Amino acid sequence: EPVPATPPEVRAPGEARDEGGVMRTRELQRLKETAHHEAGHAVASWWLGVKFKYVTVAPAADSLGHLKPRYPKWFQPDADSSDRVRLHIEQDIIIGFAGQLAQAKFRGERPRYGMHGDNRQAVDMASYRGGSTKTTEAYLRYCWCASEDLVSMRWREIQAVADALLERQTISYKEVIEVTLPLPIARKGE
């Protein structure tokens, strides 16, 4: 069943409304924050060349939105420490941090929700690289800084994807490319 378009002024699933049918300011703000969080993940994935199935702001039992990754079959960080697996681990961590960094940039302060799962995933991924606690913490700090740079450099694209998520609720990897790039360039990448 197709997902209907849900512009900001139209009700999204699970969203609170007052008696007149208007979304409350707090819920609208949370939806916008979630859209920026998920857009951060999506744009970082696109920028790093890591494909995904879709990104959504549709609430689920355990999240307000999510990006559905498309892990390659060869990606087995618990069994393979090759360079390509190590690179994919790094990309995964940077993508994970990009969500909360984009949300923080939009909010003007650190987010209060949405980052705990991403942080846990980053620590888990970093642990596959091995090394001491000191080395792992330094590596995570490097990935954090790389993600900060990416969010700063790609802020226009993050805002465009967040706007698209507010309009459509769910968008595919291909649609992220279409939203972020001028049409002739987007077609070239198909």
Side-chain angles (χ1 to χ4, degrees), residues 86-118:
R86 291 167 69 88
L87 176 61
H88 205 293
I89 287 170
E90 184 173 305
Q91 292 168 326
D92 195 69
I93 295 169
I94 292 168
I95 291 163
F97 286 155
Q100 65 187 287
L101 289 165
Q103 184 178 354
K105 185 173 176 79
F106 174 75
R107 280 177 54 89
E109 62 184 343
R110 183 183 169 145
R112 286 178 260 175
Y113 63 90
M115 72 287 208
H116 305 296
D118 294 332

Side-chain angles (χ1 to χ4, degrees), residues 33-163:
E33 287 179 29
T34 300
H36 281 82
H37 182 110
E38 299 307 329
H41 291 315
V43 171
S45 292
W46 161 72
W47 185 250
L48 295 172
V50 177
K51 292 185 178 181
F52 56 87
K53 293 179 182 179
Y54 63 85
V55 60
T56 186
V57 292
D62 61 345
S63 69
L64 296 175
H66 65 276
L67 180 136
K68 180 70 173 170
R70 187 178 279 168
Y71 288 112
K73 291 179 183 175
W74 53 259
F75 185 64
Q76 298 179 7
D78 56 337
D80 181 0
S81 61
S82 66
D83 288 347
R84 75 177 178 171
V85 168
R86 291 167 69 88
L87 176 61
H88 205 293
I89 287 170
E90 184 173 305
Q91 292 168 326
D92 195 69
I93 295 169
I94 292 168
I95 291 163
F97 286 155
Q100 65 187 287
L101 289 165
Q103 184 178 354
K105 185 173 176 79
F106 174 75
R107 280 177 54 89
E109 62 184 343
R110 183 183 169 145
R112 286 178 260 175
Y113 63 90
M115 72 287 208
H116 305 296
D118 294 332
N119 289 343
R120 208 171 21 256
Q121 173 80 3
V123 171
D124 289 347
M125 283 291 168
S127 71
Y128 289 124
R129 290 183 48 100
S132 67
T133 300
K134 181 179 176 181
T135 301
T136 300
E137 288 173 355
Y139 179 67
L140 287 168
R141 181 71 186 142
Y142 159 77
C143 290
W144 179 269
C145 292
S147 192
E148 282 180 321
D149 290 346
L150 190 153
V151 168
S152 178
M153 290 185 307
R154 305 268 57 103
W155 185 244
R156 183 193 66 77
E157 291 90 343
I158 290 168
Q159 289 180 304
V161 171
D163 290 345

